[in-house]
Amino acid sequence: SEQKLSTALSVGASILGAFFGRKVASSANVGRVATAARSAGRISRESQDVDQAAGSLETVQQRFADLQAELETEIAKVQAELDPVAIALVSIEVKPRKTDTVVSEVALVWQAV
């Protein structure tokens, strides 16, 4: 906004200087008008860039919200699949073999009654 005001003042001063000065088409007046025009063009491009960035931001925010919702859905699905209460456990009795039994210590334990 400060740039817009500065450009408007520059354009206005250039036009007034051209009409009330000695020469309407002097090189100084033409230079001032050209500088003001370049400044106005730059401000226009910057304004377009800001509008485009705002549109891009909205698109990215919408995509983020969509991904967040998808993530929540996937998390809920995985939690439901891995719920310990929902897992079916089956008991299997395995009888020990003599070769699987190793005695490393023998101890005597008693309890006084």
Side-chain angles (χ1 to χ4, degrees):
S1 68
E2 185 178 323
Q3 283 182 338
K4 288 180 183 179
L5 178 63
S6 174
T7 300
L9 289 175
S10 178
V11 168
S14 297
I15 291 172
L16 287 176
F19 285 126
F20 295 116
R22 292 186 182 189
K23 294 182 181 179
V24 175
S26 72
S27 64
N29 287 337
V30 171
R32 278 190 234 125
V33 170
T35 301
R38 281 192 301 272
S39 180
R42 183 177 56 248
I43 289 172
S44 175
R45 284 191 306 274
E46 289 174 357
S47 179
Q48 289 173 352
D49 289 346
V50 167
D51 292 342
Q52 184 180 10
S56 296
L57 176 63
E58 291 173 2
T59 303
V60 168
Q61 286 176 335
Q62 181 61 41
R63 179 69 178 138
F64 178 75
D66 293 344
L67 287 173
Q68 190 73 21
E70 184 180 338
L71 176 65
E72 293 297 327
T73 303
E74 291 296 322
I75 287 173
K77 186 189 303 182
V78 168
Q79 284 178 339
E81 289 175 2
L82 299 178
D83 186 17
V85 175
I87 296 176
L89 299 178
V90 179
S91 295
I92 300 174
E93 187 176 328
V94 179
K95 296 186 179 196
R97 296 180 297 180
K98 191 173 187 179
T99 57
D100 293 334
T101 306
V102 177
V103 178
S104 58
E105 281 187 36
V106 177
L108 179 63
V109 180
W110 73 90
Q111 182 177 7
V113 186

